[in-house]
Amino acid sequence: AAAAGGGGWGRVRVPSPLGWGFVAFVWLGWLGWRPFPFEPTIDLHKYWSSLKPLFRTPGLSTFDLFRFTLMWTCAGYLARRGLNLARSPGVLFAGLLFVLLAKIVIVGLVITLPEVLGLALAIVLLQFEPRLAPTTSARLLAALFVLFIVLERLQPWQLAPVARPFQWIPFYGFLHGSIQVDVLAFLQKFFFYGTLLWILVKSSVRPSYAIVFECSLLFATSIMQTHLAHRSGEIGDSLLAALIGLIYVAMSRRGTKRVRSGSAGGKRP
């Protein structure tokens, strides 16, 4: 019953209940973030507008390339290692490419050069990933993701003339922003922080230590944001990471109970 269908999907395996539900939540957060706001159109002019940045303004920065390469790589890694889906490289590439091309038909979204190149590099990296030990690949991704979160949260690296006060009210930014921007930011952060937590655990870090490390990292960078221009530090990110950690622990314990109950049931005469 581990296989379903033919072709590439015949290699799909039934995932372990341990951590599978959490990875599914994180992956759904990524799927919700990338094609947001989910408004497809049949306007042919819009299709061309979505591709214009590739040809007319093909800007490329090192950080954007790093960001999208890591994003696509982690999305494929979660699908392969966390959900046990699309172990065939062709199926995995087709799935990621579909998510990218879906932006063409969605109102307000465009495809950029860093996204395309990042996907191409991610496919190459995902081809070599199975050759590494699971712990080794997880540790490499964890190190890169920590670096990415620090760089992402501290851009543009410009000191403010006067430090801003730290905001202790939970999710203050969400309460005072537009709903569409807030939903998009929440899905993005849920994917970032959930992915980092799961990869840290895959790196043989105890879940409690991984949660404390991630919350501490976000709190430290939030403090640093109070001294940066165009940034405002608040407690919300650390609390969101802690909430994600609680979700992981709860779902892992539930999966453990299912495994134990299944094993006990299988031993009965």
Side-chain angles (χ1 to χ4, degrees), residues 60-83:
L60 180 64
S61 69
T62 303
F63 179 75
D64 286 340
L65 182 59
F66 168 66
R67 179 177 186 267
F68 283 109
T69 301
L70 184 62
M71 180 195 69
W72 289 116
T73 302
C74 287
Y77 184 80
L78 289 175
R80 173 187 286 165
R81 297 294 186 181
L83 302 176

Side-chain angles (χ1 to χ4, degrees), residues 97-156:
L97 182 62
F98 175 80
V99 175
L100 175 64
L101 296 180
K103 298 180 67 176
I104 296 177
V105 301
I106 297 178
V107 175
L109 300 184
V110 297
I111 294 179
T112 61
L113 183 60
E115 283 183 292
V116 176
L117 295 181
L119 175 57
L121 290 174
I123 292 298
V124 174
L125 294 176
L126 289 170
Q127 291 272 23
F128 288 97
E129 185 271 329
R131 303 180 184 180
L132 301 175
T135 304
T136 301
S137 59
R139 287 174 178 173
L140 288 173
L141 278 178
L144 291 173
F145 217 94
V146 169
L147 175 62
F148 161 71
I149 286 183
V150 172
L151 294 176
E152 174 81 3
R153 289 175 57 78
L154 299 184
Q155 283 194 2

Side-chain angles (χ1 to χ4, degrees), residues 4 32 52 63 65 91-92 102 111-112 160 166 179-181 195 201 215 231-232 237 244 262:
K52 278 184 181 180
F63 179 75
L65 182 59
V91 173
L92 185 60
I111 294 179
T112 61
F166 187 82
I179 296 179
Q180 181 170 336
V181 174
T195 298
V201 175
C215 292
R231 290 287 186 174
S232 58
D237 289 271
I244 292 173

